[in-house]
């Protein structure tokens, strides 16, 4: 197999680090760009340097570059230096709630940073597959318009036609996104445009809840990772609104990266895919708390606030039908129990 030159942005983050390890493991050369900006966004608990150190020890042909994707000249120079075959763009300000405090920075990183990378690709390696990690927040709160039933521990879609979840035809305008959802929507549209207008092999993946042991989970980002940290440390946790019955679908970072690989091998320019854990890996907040309590044998110290997060999804399950039909070689390999067990083991190892 031909060896690829792969660029991963956000390479010390949850998805970026999984991509680095995966493609390095296949024998490709990987350049990772990350300036540890997660620490600026979320303070010391968001620091990703531990993950960078881990990668340096676990990889063979990985080069780490501390570059800010907002630095257009720096990005262009990097693309001038390497001829990339695959670009996996995961660097972001990833928090829905944080964005309101840092509106300009959020836009510069999420929207402008993405355009810098798309344009550098067009100028230097326009045939390279480009993967943009987008988010289900581009749909804003439009998914909340689906008719819902309130069950004992979760909300669920009441119309059978919605059973598989939200598909890519959900509208992305005339809905409340949060500034984060809006800056990601701008980047998402730009990425589609580079695929459609320029015919470049760009794929857009709209993530549900992405998770795994390499998350530097903080209160404002990384739901399961943070909930586990809280469970094991005894710190307080607040559930915001909807009686804790809001539903998220969770996907392991490995399965996310496997979807990227399928796309990179057979790209379809400008296509958009929802990518999450689907119905099988969906869980409500209160169900997640019970499962984590059972797994850790500890009570989660949680309280309830009536005030829901603005623009929060009440029930979000990613419909994976399109992804599976375009890429039949892809499927979920980790169920929710195995994801949680792996994360508990990794958290416990960190504590001891
Ligand atoms: N984690 C989720 O639940 C989730 C859900 C949907 C979509 N996404 C999207 O997936 C992508 C990856 O998310 P993640 O969970 O791995 O996030 P993460 O915060 O763990 O990783 C992002 C990395 O990007 C780096 N970074 C931030 N700004 C940068 C900049 N200006 N220049 C260089 N590096 C920078 C950070 O230091 C961090 O290591 C993001 O685009 C995010 O919006 C994540």
């Amino acid at each position: 197999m031909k060896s690829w030159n792969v660029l991963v942005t956000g390479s010390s983050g949850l998805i970026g680090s999984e991509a680095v390890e995966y493609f390095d493991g296949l024998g490709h050369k990987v350049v990772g760009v990350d300036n540890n900006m997660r620490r600026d966004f979320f303070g010391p608990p968001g620091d990703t340097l531990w993950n960078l150190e881990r990668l340096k020890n676990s990889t063979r042909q990985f080069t780490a570059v501390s570059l800010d994707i907002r630095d257009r000249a720096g990005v262009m120079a990097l693309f001038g230096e390497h001829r990339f075959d695959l670009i996996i763009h995961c660097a972001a300000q990833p928090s829905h709630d944080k964005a309101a405090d840092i509106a300009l920075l959020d836009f510069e990183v999420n929207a402008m940073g993405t355009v810098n990378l798309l344009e550098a690709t067009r100028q230097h390696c326009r045939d390279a597959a480009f993967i943009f990690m987008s988010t289900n927040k581009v749909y804003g709160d439009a998914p909340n318009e689906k008719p819902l039933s309130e069950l004992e521990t979760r909300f669920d879609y009441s119309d059978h036609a919605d059973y598989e979840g939200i598909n890519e035809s959900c509208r992305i305008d005339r809905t409340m996104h949060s500034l984060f959802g809006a800056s990601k929507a701008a980047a998402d549209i730009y990425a589609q445009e580079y695929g459609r207008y320029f015919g470049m092999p760009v794929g857009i993946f709209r993530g549900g809840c992405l998770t795994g042991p390499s998350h530097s989970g903080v209160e404002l980002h990384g739901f399961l990772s943070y909930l586990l940290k809280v469970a094991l440390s005894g710190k307080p946790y607040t559930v915001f609104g909807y009686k804790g019955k809001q539903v998220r679908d969770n996907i392991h970072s490995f399965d996310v990266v496997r979807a990227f690989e399928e796309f990179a091998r057979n790209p379809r320019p400008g296509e958009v895919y929802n990518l999450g854990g689907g119905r099988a890996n969906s869980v409500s907040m209160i169900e997640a708390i019970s499962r984590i309590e059972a797994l850790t044998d500890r009570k989660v110290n949680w309280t309830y606030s009536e005030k829901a997060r603005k623009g929060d999804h009440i029930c979000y399950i990613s419909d994976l039908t399109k992804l599976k039909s375009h890429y039949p070689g892809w499927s979920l390999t980790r169920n929710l129990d195995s994801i949680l067990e792996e994360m508990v083991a990794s958290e416990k190892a960190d504590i001891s």
Side-chain angles (χ1 to χ4, degrees):
M1 186 179 67
K2 178 183 171 285
S3 165
W4 290 341
N5 282 327
V6 183
L7 171 66
V8 177
T9 73
S11 49
S12 305
L14 169 71
I15 302 302
S17 62
E18 184 82 47
V20 169
E21 274 193 303
Y22 185 75
F23 287 99
D24 176 86
L26 292 181
H28 302 303
K29 284 200 184 102
V30 184
V31 173
V33 160
D34 202 303
N35 63 350
N36 198 23
M37 208 161 174
R38 191 173 169 91
R39 190 184 204 282
D40 299 346
F41 298 141
F42 305 118
D47 197 309
T48 58
L49 289 180
W50 67 273
N51 206 15
L52 174 60
E53 283 314 308
R54 188 183 67 79
L55 285 180
K56 284 182 179 164
N57 293 325
S58 65
T59 52
R60 289 174 293 181
Q61 298 193 83
F62 167 55
T63 312
V65 181
S66 178
L67 174 70
D68 190 327
I69 59 165
R70 293 174 301 162
D71 172 1
R72 189 173 307 151
V75 168
M76 287 291 175
L78 182 79
F79 276 73
E81 205 180 309
H82 302 267
R83 207 189 146 71
F84 295 119
D85 303 297
L86 168 62
I87 293 114
I88 299 177
H89 173 33
C90 301
Q93 189 300 104
S95 166
H96 178 81
D97 298 307
K98 181 73 193 171
D101 302 336
I102 49 169
L104 298 175
L105 187 56
D106 175 81
F107 185 82
E108 283 170 8
V109 173
N110 288 353
M112 204 62 238
T114 301
V115 180
N116 287 342
L117 290 157
L118 287 164
E119 187 53 25
T121 304
R122 180 163 81 104
Q123 290 186 22
H124 291 278
C125 49
R126 55 171 300 134
D127 295 331
F130 187 112
I131 283 155
F132 172 57
M133 193 63 234
S134 185
T135 168
N136 61 16
K137 293 292 191 301
V138 301
Y139 299 122
D141 57 5
N144 291 351
E145 291 161 13
K146 296 273 183 202
L148 295 174
S149 308
E150 184 177 345
L151 309 181
E152 204 180 324
T153 58
R154 64 160 73 192
F155 284 100
D156 204 343
Y157 306 117
S158 38
D159 187 341
H160 190 70
D162 297 326
Y163 183 79
E164 293 296 341
I166 306 295
N167 67 32
E168 296 79 1
S169 68
C170 183
R171 74 173 194 283
I172 70 164
D173 68 339
R174 292 163 290 121
T175 144
M176 187 168 66
H177 296 84
S178 80
L179 292 183
F180 161 74
S183 65
K184 293 291 281 191
D188 181 307
I189 296 283
Y190 259 90
Q192 288 186 53
E193 210 55 36
Y194 273 72
R196 287 168 187 260
Y197 189 91
F198 296 122
M200 288 166 53
V202 180
I204 293 97
F205 291 83
R206 294 178 173 161
C209 267
L210 319 180
T211 196
S214 305
H215 220 179
S216 307
V218 291
E219 184 169 14
L220 292 180
H221 185 244
F223 145 63
L224 280 183
S225 164
Y226 186 69
L227 186 54
L228 265 173
K229 277 191 189 5
V230 164
L232 292 173
S233 67
K235 283 192 190 148
Y237 188 85
T238 311
V239 172
F240 294 99
Y242 304 120
K243 304 180 196 166
K245 295 185 181 184
Q246 57 273 61
V247 171
R248 306 278 176 266
D249 68 329
N250 301 277
I251 180 169
H252 193 283
S253 44
F254 174 82
D255 288 335
V256 173
V257 171
R258 273 283 303 121
F260 295 169
E261 183 188 17
E262 290 287 322
F263 181 88
R265 291 194 186 285
N266 186 13
R268 293 170 172 248
E271 285 291 356
V272 170
Y273 300 98
N274 286 351
L275 177 61
R279 176 164 288 275
N281 282 5
S282 68
V283 73
S284 73
M285 297 297 297
I286 52 177
E287 289 167 357
I289 290 173
S290 309
R291 281 168 97 143
I292 286 176
E293 287 182 338
L295 262 177
T296 58
D297 212 14
R298 290 176 190 232
K299 280 269 163 229
V300 175
N301 175 13
W302 67 283
T303 47
Y304 179 68
S305 159
E306 282 292 342
K307 200 165 176 268
R309 294 158 70 221
K310 265 187 158 179
D312 199 15
H313 290 148
I314 305 173
C315 179
Y316 191 93
I317 294 177
S318 309
D319 183 345
L320 303 171
T321 308
K322 180 178 176 188
L323 178 65
K324 286 180 175 170
S325 76
H326 284 193
Y327 297 106
W330 180 86
S331 60
L332 288 174
T333 65
R334 314 282 165 97
N335 64 25
L336 196 55
D337 280 337
S338 67
I339 292 174
L340 286 172
E341 278 160 21
E342 185 187 355
M343 288 171 75
V344 169
S346 147
E347 272 301 319
K348 283 188 174 161
D350 280 357
I351 292 169
S352 60

